Amino acid sequence: MNNNAIQLETLLSTPELCDFLGISRDTLYEWREINTAPPAIKLPNGHLRFALSAVREWLNGRQERAA
């Protein structure tokens, strides 16, 4: 593979992301309204996709230390 090759990323749909996180669609859209949701990619048809690597990074940034 050459250096210019595009690496494919796993993209989750909104229902897949909600299942993955164990949340409702309403919760996801509330999070998006207050800018706390994982970053999304908006496709030309208006649908959202979420890169799995970005979702994992987003989750890692929300870990709290046990007191």
Side-chain angles (χ1 to χ4, degrees), residues 47 54-55:
H47 293 179
V55 172

Side-chain angles (χ1 to χ4, degrees), residues 62-67:
R62 275 146 185 77
Q63 287 182 339
E64 293 184 9
R65 292 184 183 159

Side-chain angles (χ1 to χ4, degrees), residues 12-20 23 25 28 48-50:
L12 302 175
S13 66
T14 297
E16 290 170 333
L17 177 65
C18 290
D19 286 345
F20 181 77
I23 62 170
R25 182 184 207 107
L28 176 62
L48 299 176
R49 293 295 181 267
F50 302 86

Side-chain angles (χ1 to χ4, degrees), residues 39-60:
I41 299 164
K42 193 168 193 175
L43 300 178
N45 63 4
H47 293 179
L48 299 176
R49 293 295 181 267
F50 302 86
L52 185 55
S53 62
V55 172
R56 287 187 173 135
E57 209 172 292
W58 175 83
L59 283 170
N60 287 334

